PDB file of all heavy atoms in Angstrom:
ATOM      1  N   ALA I 647      15.885 -13.374  22.199  1.00 31.00           N
ATOM      2  CA  ALA I 647      16.859 -14.433  22.449  1.00 31.00           C
ATOM      3  C   ALA I 647      16.871 -15.416  21.297  1.00 31.00           C
ATOM      4  O   ALA I 647      15.841 -15.730  20.709  1.00 31.00           O
ATOM      5  CB  ALA I 647      16.506 -15.148  23.750  1.00 31.00           C
ATOM      6  N   GLY I 648      18.066 -15.914  20.991  1.00 31.00           N
ATOM      7  CA  GLY I 648      18.196 -16.931  19.967  1.00 31.00           C
ATOM      8  C   GLY I 648      18.419 -16.410  18.581  1.00 31.00           C
ATOM      9  O   GLY I 648      18.521 -17.178  17.641  1.00 31.00           O
ATOM     10  N   HIS I 649      18.508 -15.085  18.401  1.00 32.00           N
ATOM     11  CA  HIS I 649      18.753 -14.510  17.080  1.00 32.00           C
ATOM     12  C   HIS I 649      20.249 -14.270  16.940  1.00 32.00           C
ATOM     13  O   HIS I 649      20.773 -13.238  17.345  1.00 32.00           O
ATOM     14  CB  HIS I 649      17.968 -13.203  16.908  1.00 32.00           C
ATOM     15  CG  HIS I 649      16.515 -13.440  16.641  1.00 32.00           C
ATOM     16  ND1 HIS I 649      15.816 -12.770  15.682  1.00 32.00           N
ATOM     17  CD2 HIS I 649      15.629 -14.296  17.200  1.00 32.00           C
ATOM     18  CE1 HIS I 649      14.561 -13.170  15.659  1.00 32.00           C
ATOM     19  NE2 HIS I 649      14.427 -14.099  16.590  1.00 32.00           N
ATOM     20  N   ASP I 650      20.945 -15.210  16.357  1.00 33.00           N
ATOM     21  CA  ASP I 650      22.393 -15.115  16.261  1.00 33.00           C
ATOM     22  C   ASP I 650      22.853 -13.940  15.417  1.00 33.00           C
ATOM     23  O   ASP I 650      23.971 -13.458  15.566  1.00 33.00           O
ATOM     24  CB  ASP I 650      22.967 -16.415  15.676  1.00 33.00           C
ATOM     25  CG  ASP I 650      22.729 -17.596  16.606  1.00 33.00           C
ATOM     26  OD1 ASP I 650      22.619 -17.357  17.824  1.00 33.00           O
ATOM     27  OD2 ASP I 650      22.659 -18.732  16.119  1.00 33.00           O
ATOM     28  N   ASP I 651      21.968 -13.459  14.501  1.00 33.00           N
ATOM     29  CA  ASP I 651      22.373 -12.348  13.648  1.00 33.00           C
ATOM     30  C   ASP I 651      22.136 -10.997  14.310  1.00 33.00           C
ATOM     31  O   ASP I 651      22.342  -9.952  13.716  1.00 33.00           O
ATOM     32  CB  ASP I 651      21.639 -12.393  12.302  1.00 33.00           C
ATOM     33  CG  ASP I 651      20.132 -12.244  12.452  1.00 33.00           C
ATOM     34  OD1 ASP I 651      19.646 -12.205  13.598  1.00 33.00           O
ATOM     35  OD2 ASP I 651      19.455 -12.143  11.412  1.00 33.00           O
ATOM     36  N   GLY I 652      21.685 -11.032  15.555  1.00 31.00           N
ATOM     37  CA  GLY I 652      21.468  -9.776  16.267  1.00 31.00           C
ATOM     38  C   GLY I 652      20.236  -9.029  15.823  1.00 31.00           C
ATOM     39  O   GLY I 652      20.083  -7.852  16.122  1.00 31.00           O
ATOM     40  N   SER I 653      19.328  -9.697  15.102  1.00 33.00           N
ATOM     41  CA  SER I 653      18.158  -8.987  14.600  1.00 33.00           C
ATOM     42  C   SER I 653      17.171  -8.708  15.718  1.00 33.00           C
ATOM     43  O   SER I 653      17.181  -9.344  16.767  1.00 33.00           O
ATOM     44  CB  SER I 653      17.485  -9.805  13.493  1.00 33.00           C
ATOM     45  OG  SER I 653      16.991 -11.015  14.005  1.00 33.00           O
ATOM     46  N   LEU I 654      16.312  -7.727  15.492  1.00 32.00           N
ATOM     47  CA  LEU I 654      15.302  -7.330  16.459  1.00 32.00           C
ATOM     48  C   LEU I 654      13.941  -7.510  15.841  1.00 32.00           C
ATOM     49  O   LEU I 654      13.754  -7.404  14.645  1.00 32.00           O
ATOM     50  CB  LEU I 654      15.475  -5.850  16.850  1.00 32.00           C
ATOM     51  CG  LEU I 654      16.836  -5.439  17.428  1.00 32.00           C
ATOM     52  CD1 LEU I 654      16.835  -3.940  17.649  1.00 32.00           C
ATOM     53  CD2 LEU I 654      17.105  -6.170  18.714  1.00 32.00           C
ATOM     54  N   ARG I 655      12.966  -7.735  16.701  1.00 33.00           N
ATOM     55  CA  ARG I 655      11.567  -7.673  16.278  1.00 33.00           C
ATOM     56  C   ARG I 655      10.941  -6.519  17.019  1.00 33.00           C
ATOM     57  O   ARG I 655      10.854  -6.525  18.242  1.00 33.00           O
ATOM     58  CB  ARG I 655      10.831  -8.971  16.592  1.00 33.00           C
ATOM     59  CG  ARG I 655      11.223 -10.111  15.667  1.00 33.00           C
ATOM     60  CD  ARG I 655      10.509 -11.392  16.059  1.00 33.00           C
ATOM     61  NE  ARG I 655       9.066 -11.261  15.967  1.00 33.00           N
ATOM     62  CZ  ARG I 655       8.376 -11.373  14.838  1.00 33.00           C
ATOM     63  NH1 ARG I 655       9.003 -11.582  13.701  1.00 33.00           N
ATOM     64  NH2 ARG I 655       7.070 -11.269  14.830  1.00 33.00           N
ATOM     65  N   GLY I 656      10.548  -5.496  16.252  1.00 34.00           N
ATOM     66  CA  GLY I 656       9.938  -4.335  16.879  1.00 34.00           C
ATOM     67  C   GLY I 656       8.565  -4.667  17.381  1.00 34.00           C
ATOM     68  O   GLY I 656       7.804  -5.382  16.740  1.00 34.00           O
ATOM     69  N   LYS I 657       8.223  -4.188  18.538  1.00 34.00           N
ATOM     70  CA  LYS I 657       6.934  -4.467  19.147  1.00 34.00           C
ATOM     71  C   LYS I 657       6.110  -3.194  19.121  1.00 34.00           C
ATOM     72  O   LYS I 657       6.560  -2.145  19.580  1.00 34.00           O
ATOM     73  CB  LYS I 657       7.123  -4.933  20.586  1.00 34.00           C
ATOM     74  CG  LYS I 657       8.199  -6.015  20.723  1.00 34.00           C
ATOM     75  CD  LYS I 657       7.605  -7.374  20.780  1.00 34.00           C
ATOM     76  CE  LYS I 657       8.692  -8.408  21.046  1.00 34.00           C
ATOM     77  NZ  LYS I 657       8.201  -9.755  21.004  1.00 34.00           N
ATOM     78  N   SER I 658       4.895  -3.265  18.626  1.00 36.00           N
ATOM     79  CA  SER I 658       4.084  -2.071  18.448  1.00 36.00           C
ATOM     80  C   SER I 658       3.532  -1.584  19.783  1.00 36.00           C
ATOM     81  O   SER I 658       3.274  -2.363  20.693  1.00 36.00           O
ATOM     82  CB  SER I 658       2.935  -2.364  17.485  1.00 36.00           C
ATOM     83  OG  SER I 658       3.446  -2.791  16.244  1.00 36.00           O
ATOM     84  N   SER I 659       3.319  -0.294  19.871  1.00 35.00           N
ATOM     85  CA  SER I 659       2.732   0.303  21.064  1.00 35.00           C
ATOM     86  C   SER I 659       1.240   0.027  21.093  1.00 35.00           C
ATOM     87  O   SER I 659       0.647  -0.396  20.105  1.00 35.00           O
ATOM     88  CB  SER I 659       2.968   1.810  21.043  1.00 35.00           C
ATOM     89  OG  SER I 659       2.279   2.390  19.963  1.00 35.00           O
TER      90      SER I 659
END
Side-chain angles (χ1 to χ4, degrees):
H649 283 225
D650 295 333
D651 63 355
S653 64
L654 303 176
R655 287 178 61 81
K657 312 262 185 185
S658 301
S659 65

